[in-house]
Amino acid sequence: MKKFLCTSIASAVFALGAIAGPSTESVDTLPILQQESQHAAAAKRVSALFTRAHYKEIMLDDTLSEKVFERFLKSLDSNKYLFLASDIEQFESYRQYFDEALIKGNLDIAYEIFNKSQSLRVERFEFALTLLDSPFDFTREGDKFYYDRSEADWPKTAQERDELWRQRIKYDALNLKLADKSQEEIKELLTKRYNRAIKRIKQTKSEDVFQTVMNAFARSIEAHTSYLSPRNAERFQMEMNLEFEGIGAVLQIEDDYTVIQSIVPGGPADKSDALKPEDKIIGVAQEDEEFIDVIGWRLDEVVELIKGPKGSTVRLQVQKGSSSTKTIAVVDLQRDKIKLEDRAASAEVYVPETGPNAGEKLGVISIPSFYNNLHADVKKELTKLKEEGVKGMIVDLRGNGGGSLTEATLLTGLFIDKGPVVQVRYGNRISVNRDTDGLVHYDGPLTVLVDRYSASASEIFAAALQDYNRALIIGEQTFGKGTVQQHRGLGRIYDLYENPLGSVQFTIAKFYRINGGSTQHKGVVPDIKLPSAIDPDEWGESQEENALPWDKIERANYTTFGETTSTLDVLAAKHQARTMKDPEFGYIFQDIARYNEEKDKKFVSLVEAERLEEQDRNEKERLQRANERLARMGKEPVENLDDLPDELSEIDPFLAEAANITYDLVETGKYAFSRS
């Protein structure tokens, strides 16, 4: 570590979207952000905590400093659109100073680099505004926008950087043109968007800078170690308790649009019947105020605009449907307290109307997260499903990124009488989490459906049932997160700081299957794999920087249920024969082939005719597939994607095939549930 002196001048995290209207900001009027008093204490506490209590042995030295430095720059300019190679050369003198900065709680060098990035961001958006004075030529052959430049070199000249931004702004303009906007509308909308970006840079606070550098530090240690600002710590607790105040809609970003992914049952959005999945939110207004255009905003910023206290009103401008329709609706919603039912366990009775299993009932329990008290909710759903007379159960863990380790153990205990569920290694000490109640709440045929997003607690549950031979695992190879995190606040009761301190989440242990193997990197390999475009070696924990390695420990003491190998061979053969004839899986195989052809492509064409041809081809394919599905359902075809009936959105070929496999399992009668 080296001694240094540095003046603190800082900048901001880049984020699109804020208050509408023209900006009068310029580089000369940017605020100088400085480290606040609580940040020195927070940095020292985080450094001490990580070096003392983290699972991984940590040395705050020049080697780690270099990692923090590189990750910090990456967090500011991941696609190499901002800094020039000469800027990076100037920053090189700070490469080995971040360790001492963290130990002493003096982050002046980070604030100085941030200040440089802030001025460059404003300068770049001012340059973008000048490009709007003349129409773009969308017929220029070979013009491309490279949306992934993470592996590219930093631009060497200002001219090279200008060209990158020309392509970026042209991409924004072409997207609007493809949405039937005129040249005047394109200029107006992008002028507002880039002015908002400049305004938003000015609104960046010291905490934003601190959060960025502390996360550069945390992620340089290990993939699941992070710093949470006071605001994000509050959001973390809200998600674990499944409650907030808002409209009850799950949102996601697609291109520059905030798109409704799903509607929370019983919430204001659901009751209004005015919002549907795939609707795009393009504007938000509070009460009777003017609408703010949110195209191009970050998702968390749009969410903050939409959320609000119970009883207040939010108005949304919504572009209806998934196609390029110009239909715009205004929806008024009164916010309410939302229980995140879409994040809680839910159950349904699955009954096929046709085929060899027509009329036969299965229970499907969907578990999107391992939240507090999950096992109690699932226990109630199991009781209801058993009363319905289901012949088997499917536990759907697709998209479940994990949560409480305790809940994973308790949930597993519902399906076994007693025994070890997961082994947890804290340094050199290994403990075993067990189910000890001696009760089985469901002892019938059981399958577990997973995908590549199933992680952590989901993998504990699936791995335990697989090791016991208690359930058949179906789907994609899971994410491979085999580590345990602890959430801890940085504040102390004796603190007298004007602003609160945040919190950290850091790795304290690794967990292992009861067979001794770690799920780290490898995840859970399904007994029957469903088709996937993603190679397990290109996805998941193994691709995370600084992820802990795979290893194994001794097998726990447990007894498996009946032998399943011969049964599995029969089930796999039947599955293979079905999917080769199923038209839904035919679509999936086509999509996988297309993905493999295009997965290394990191650019999009800026030629309007090429984009229109691609858009037209995609919409025709979607419409053709939709009408083929309608024909199989005995329904009339449609002429437009906006006219698709809701039933089509409910088609789930993976769940349908998991059900078929479960019916096959029931038929074999070899799902032995007495101890061997």
Side-chain angles (χ1 to χ4, degrees), residues 74-91:
K74 184 177 179 180
S75 68
L76 297 180
D77 190 15
S78 61
N79 268 330
K80 317 287 179 61
Y81 279 108
L82 195 62
F83 295 122
L84 295 178
S86 57
D87 296 321
I88 303 302
E89 290 176 9
Q90 291 180 0
F91 298 149

Side-chain angles (χ1 to χ4, degrees), residues 121-140:
R121 292 184 196 286
V122 173
E123 176 190 298
R124 290 292 86 203
F125 280 107
E126 288 176 342
F127 171 72
L129 289 168
T130 66
L131 295 179
L132 301 178
D133 291 337
S134 302
F136 287 102
D137 177 8
F138 296 118
T139 65
R140 179 174 163 181

Side-chain angles (χ1 to χ4, degrees), residues 18 99 250 340 401 420 424 674:
D99 52 341
V250 180
L340 297 182
V424 186
S674 58

Side-chain angles (χ1 to χ4, degrees), residues 247 268 272 274 287-288 291 313-316 330-334:
I247 66 168
S272 75
E287 304 287 348
D288 295 326
F291 278 101
T313 299
V314 63
R315 298 163 60 224
L316 306 178
V330 175
V331 180
D332 289 15
L333 297 171
Q334 188 175 72

Side-chain angles (χ1 to χ4, degrees), residues 278-294:
E278 299 195 4
D279 286 351
K280 300 180 180 73
I281 298 174
I282 61 174
V284 180
Q286 310 299 327
E287 304 287 348
D288 295 326
E289 296 177 8
E290 292 185 4
F291 278 101
I292 298 174
D293 171 33
V294 296

